[in-house]
Amino acid sequence: MRPLIVAQITDCHLQNNPADDYRGRDVEQHLNAVIEDLRCQTPAADLVLWTGDLVHHGAASGYNRLRDRLTALPLQSYWLPGNHDAADLMLALGGPLNQRTIVDQHWVILLLDSTSQPDGMGGGYLASQELNFLAQQLQTYRDYHCLIVLHHNPLPVGSAWQDRIMLGNAAAFWQLLAQYPQVKGVLNGHVHQAVEQQHQGINVFMTPATSVQFKAGCQQMTLEDASALALPAYRVLQLYPDGQIRSVIKRVAC
Ligand SMILES: [Fe+2]
């Protein structure tokens, strides 16, 4: 049976002025290359999840440019905020992009805002209303397989500087998920590198950025120096009717 095909694009870090670079990279060009690759996918994705840090300075100019690209795509997009985003502005500008519960025949996808209690360093936190929303949705959709999507990583990745700014209340998040065995996957951005782990029997997928990648296993922020891993990237997931998830990272030359 055909799986639901979900693309994840994350950490675009668009600048206010599209001519400005981010850490030496032309992030507009990177994003265009990723979108072009996505458009050429066979079979085509059914939907796209944009998982935060979509712009770098939380300003409308970047969101407007991004929204123009999304509305030109032949498939539906949904977005959620990261620590660089302005969640209120996204709500105001995004319209249907802000839908937080996506229901398919066998799967439900839940989008969370992990940008509560900003620490000024990039760390994340799920507000109590987010945890309540998650619990209520999981209760409602007990008979569906579930993929949970948020910006911040709920598990450490082994880089000291990044593990200090992961999801701050990850313990509460995992404690909640332990009550709902229909959760099959968790999907996040924020780490700018590819990571796949299992926790409590749940697959956790972390995805490289379209903008720049961070090198794994570092004490301090270090840009990826392996040319193949430094390319802009995104993830494609196949969600099967039996609850299995298959996933690949797509790295895009540009
Ligand atoms: Fe980011």
Side-chain angles (χ1 to χ4, degrees), residues 125-232:
Y125 198 88
L126 290 166
S128 57
Q129 66 260 31
E130 287 298 300
L131 290 170
N132 291 342
F133 165 79
L134 177 57
Q136 184 261 327
Q137 296 294 290
L138 289 171
Q139 194 68 35
T140 301
Y141 294 101
R142 270 195 177 275
D143 296 333
Y144 291 73
H145 307 298
C146 180
L147 176 70
I148 296 175
V149 191
L150 72 172
H151 179 70
H152 289 86
N153 46 308
L155 293 174
V157 295
S159 279
W161 72 277
Q162 293 194 290
D163 293 344
R164 284 193 291 272
I165 55 170
M166 61 178 274
L167 183 67
N169 55 343
F173 174 74
W174 288 113
Q175 204 169 12
L176 176 58
L177 297 200
Q179 302 168 49
Y180 297 96
Q182 78 264 37
V183 178
K184 302 299 193 305
V186 173
L187 180 64
N188 64 263
H190 191 51
V191 298
H192 293 231
Q193 61 199 265
V195 178
E196 293 185 14
Q197 300 185 26
Q198 272 227 338
H199 188 70
Q200 295 181 184
I202 297 169
N203 295 300
V204 181
F205 302 97
M206 312 188 192
T207 300
T210 69
S211 54
V212 301
Q213 316 305 356
F214 298 138
K215 192 175 176 63
C218 294
Q219 287 295 308
Q220 297 174 331
M221 198 283 284
T222 308
L223 290 181
E224 179 60 61
D225 54 6
S227 55
L229 297 180
L231 293 171

Side-chain angles (χ1 to χ4, degrees), residues 5-10 12 31 35 38-39 45-51 54 63 65-80 90 93-102 109 111 149:
I5 302 178
V6 175
Q8 179 202 11
I9 299 180
T10 196
C12 309
L31 177 58
I35 289 175
L38 173 69
R39 292 176 73 106
D46 296 300
L47 58 98
V48 192
L49 304 171
W50 299 79
T51 56
L54 305 180
Y63 291 122
R65 295 199 307 280
L66 179 59
R67 193 182 50 180
D68 288 347
R69 289 174 169 103
L70 304 195
T71 51
L73 280 173
L75 68 171
Q76 182 62 48
S77 286
Y78 305 91
W79 69 13
L80 59 79
M90 290 171 72
L93 294 173
L97 297 173
N98 295 303
Q99 186 177 325
R100 306 186 57 198
T101 302
I102 304 159
I109 302 172
L111 281 70
V149 191

Side-chain angles (χ1 to χ4, degrees), residues 11 13 53 84 151 190 192:
D11 293 272
H13 287 267
D53 283 3
H84 281 274
H151 179 70
H190 191 51
H192 293 231

Side-chain angles (χ1 to χ4, degrees), residues 99-119:
Q99 186 177 325
R100 306 186 57 198
T101 302
I102 304 159
V103 185
D104 188 63
Q105 188 179 359
H106 301 283
W107 283 83
V108 62
I109 302 172
L110 302 176
L111 281 70
L112 302 178
D113 176 351
S114 60
T115 64
S116 173
Q117 301 185 18
D119 59 4

